Amino acid sequence: MTAEALVLARPAALTQRVPFMVSRVAWYALCGLLAVSMLLPLVWMISIALKGNGDINQLPPTFLPREFRAANFVDGPAQIGFYRLLLNTVIVTVLSTIGAVASSMIVGYGISRIDFPGRRFWFALISGSIFVPGIVGLIPLQHLYISLGLIDTWVPLILPAFFGSPIFVFLARQYYQSIPKYLDESATIDGAGHWMIFTRIMIPLTKPVWITIAIMSFQFAWNDYLSPLVYLQDAKKFTLPLGMAAFLSDQAGSQYNYYMATNLLFVVPPLVLFFLAQRYFMEGLGALGTIAK
Amino acid sequence: MTKRHRDTILGYLFVSPAIIGLLLFVAYPMVTSLYHSFTQWNGLTPAKWVGLDNYKFLFTSDPTFWPSLKVTVLWVVISVPATLAAGLALAVVVNRTIKGVKVFRTIFYLPVVLPAVAVLTLWKYIYDPTYGLANQVLTFLHLPTSLWLGDAHVALPAILIVGVWSVGGTMMIFLAGLQAVPEEIQEAAKVDGANAFRRFTRITLPMIGPIMMLQLMLALNGAFQTFNQVAILTKGGPGHSTNLLMYKIYNDGFADFITSPQLGYATAEVWVLFVIVMLVTVVMLRLTRSRVYQGEGA
């Protein structure tokens, strides 16, 4: 390449690269700003959780604790009865997650891989019921649970998950649709029945979607506030959301540092789970990207 | 037994949990609650048939129904477009192959991973007029402070801010949709001289149409049933400024349960809410469906 060509080539390369660099810098600036506004409330939570008892009522409030008080993470949970609430929540969450995954995957298999009369009808009904507001069921179901003697037990919080939540069935079905038919056909020729195909072929193949359902169902049960509020009365059976909210409305104010420290512990399990399973979660949600078909 | 028969039996066996679920958790409550909405019922003694009395009282005499409905409509009209727009905008921002994009995706999604009650009680403290972060930030920026949840004009927008802050779930679903848009079509349009805005409105938006529709339905459904935010942040106040219908139903049916259980009346309110949600959903489905199909040229 001659010197002349280099001189001529340079400005062109620069004009192409400069807007690219600018857009890159602007992108990082924008994302940084958004990230700060997303994280600020959480940093604030951590800061309160570490503050000393005198610090929290100090005016104007400081962002950094003057006295770091790590003991909040022991005293707070003790005051709120955190570990009992945690145990209750773990029991309810684990059982309902198992129920949600098993039932949604089984129903999803039946509705997308087995050819039987009426399956379109049932699928339409299941996906239609996604839009029936949950409040419709609250009063009749509460009455039903009362008459069955199941009120103030965890059954109303766990049982419904075993009947295939419509949104999860929908998600499972979308994913099953993307798996080629010839897989089952060749398995059938080899003599495998549907149960065998489901357990041996589909469960490994659909890992992203059932992990997604597990995470979503875990988050839902871990979070649920309205159902425990309606179905539980005995404070010994309360789940975390209920117990935390009750503590806040009872005695808030002076003990926000205890409260926030406990709140941070409350937040840890779903956070850890999300980070462990993040990759599958993205893949599973990707199935929604093909909803058009 | 032929294969066809076997498949029918097996098919129904596999799908049976959902069929039982539909009967138990959708059909049964719908039928009984429709009946109970025409009764006076305290949940303890047998229900007494009163015809349309509940509905008549609701529309003509209940002092809190119309304010509550007004706030609910306002909430839906503002929060649905706001969260959808914010979710889509965030998704567009993080739909790039660039270093660090995954970190930002995770940060934007973070508020959704955290338990709602933990997040809401945190925000309750953020909005504390004296000790809260919100007024601290305003003071820092030399802006006038606010009573936040204590101010009838600000309480609802304050709840909306929390909703927009935790819009990561909507972002993720939009992102899944954006990533399914084939790169080649974008490239071809670029070669044809279409600018970024044109490519977004003419290619991207129509192609994520179905996802947009799903998100719209979910957002509408969610907005009509907003409960946690009200129950934890404002308890419907100040005045009736945040007394969303869902919260009013809970109050009439459950919170006042010990003193004066009015399950029949609360059920009538449930049905009013249900009919509104269904009407809006059907209308929206009609409107968006014709749009989406035109966009795809089908």
Side-chain angles (χ1 to χ4, degrees), chain B residues 148-216:
Chain B
W148 296 107
L149 302 172
D151 182 334
H153 296 290
V154 183
L156 205 62
I159 294 179
L160 181 64
I161 291 176
V162 183
V164 170
W165 181 69
S166 43
V167 81
T170 313
M171 173 193 82
M172 277 307 184
I173 299 179
F174 272 132
L175 184 63
L178 289 176
Q179 300 206 323
V181 176
E183 196 71 33
E184 304 88 70
I185 303 183
Q186 298 278 12
E187 289 300 325
K190 216 186 258 179
V191 170
D192 288 347
N195 63 27
F197 178 75
R198 245 183 118 74
R199 289 202 305 273
F200 183 73
T201 52
R202 295 298 170 85
I203 299 171
T204 311
L205 277 185
M207 291 211 59
I208 61 166
I211 281 211
M212 189 74 106
M213 207 165 81
L214 178 82
Q215 297 263 50
L216 180 63

Side-chain angles (χ1 to χ4, degrees), chain A residues 20 23-24 27-28 30-32 34-42 44-45 48 56-63 103 105-111 114-119 122 125-126 128-146 159-160 162-164 166-167 169-170 188 194-195 198 219 222-223 225-226 229-230 240-242 244-245 248-249 253 256 259-260 263 266-267 270-271 274-275 278 281-282 285-292, chain B residues 3-4 7-22 24-26 28-30 32-33 36 41 43-44 90 92-102 104-119 121-126 128 130-133 136-137 164-167 169 172-173 175-177 180 207 210-211 214 217-218 221 225 227-228 231-232 235 246 249-250 253-254 257 263 266-267 270-271 273-274 277-278 281 285 296:
Chain A
F20 180 68
S23 86
R24 206 164 226 227
W27 185 85
Y28 279 113
L30 177 68
C31 283
L34 287 169
V36 167
S37 49
M38 292 283 179
L39 291 175
L40 196 60
L42 302 173
W44 178 247
M45 173 151 90
I48 300 167
I56 44 171
N57 292 324
Q58 188 221 343
L59 278 174
T62 52
F63 213 93
S103 61
M105 294 314 288
I106 290 173
V107 173
Y109 178 91
I111 218 134
I114 306 179
D115 193 14
F116 63 94
R119 71 170 180 163
W122 287 108
L125 218 54
I126 292 168
S129 71
I130 291 174
F131 300 115
V132 176
I135 178 88
V136 174
L138 214 52
I139 291 167
L141 286 175
Q142 191 206 32
H143 195 64
L144 180 72
Y145 289 127
I146 290 175
L159 191 71
F162 282 82
F163 295 96
I167 186 86
V169 170
F170 185 80
T188 313
H194 279 299
W195 186 251
F198 173 67
Q219 281 179 356
W222 193 264
N223 267 333
Y225 176 61
L226 184 56
L229 187 64
V230 169
L240 266 167
L242 204 54
M244 295 298 283
L248 194 67
S249 59
Y256 263 111
Y259 179 79
M260 289 303 174
N263 222 6
F266 176 22
V267 156
L271 211 55
F274 175 73
F275 279 109
Q278 194 176 14
F281 187 55
M282 300 291 170
L285 275 183
L288 281 173
T290 57
I291 248 164
Chain B
K3 183 181 182 309
R4 177 139 190 86
D7 274 3
T8 303
I9 293 169
L10 269 173
Y12 275 94
L13 264 178
F14 270 78
V15 182
S16 61
I19 296 176
I20 298 170
L22 280 176
L24 205 59
F25 298 110
V26 181
Y28 164 78
M30 280 177 77
T32 53
S33 75
H36 280 132
W41 182 45
L44 308 165
L90 274 185
V92 170
V93 166
V94 295
N95 184 32
R96 282 182 75 156
T97 40
I98 193 167
K99 220 175 176 181
V101 72
K102 281 196 176 158
F104 287 117
R105 275 179 205 164
T106 309
I107 292 174
F108 300 160
Y109 190 73
L110 203 59
V112 186
V113 181
L114 309 178
V117 167
V119 161
T121 47
L122 169 68
W123 276 91
K124 194 176 166 134
Y125 191 60
I126 289 174
D128 186 292
T130 323
Y131 300 105
L133 177 66
Q136 288 304 114
V137 171
V164 170
W165 181 69
S166 43
V167 81
M172 277 307 184
I173 299 179
L175 184 63
M207 291 211 59
I211 281 211
L214 178 82
M217 295 303 132
L218 293 176
N221 210 289
Q225 293 189 79
F227 176 80
N228 289 354
I232 289 166
K235 304 250 180 258
M246 181 79 182
I249 292 170
Y250 166 78
F254 295 99
F257 190 76
L263 288 180
T267 314
V270 166
W271 270 89
L273 180 66
F274 178 59
V277 174
M278 282 297 131
T281 307
L285 270 174
E296 284 172 349

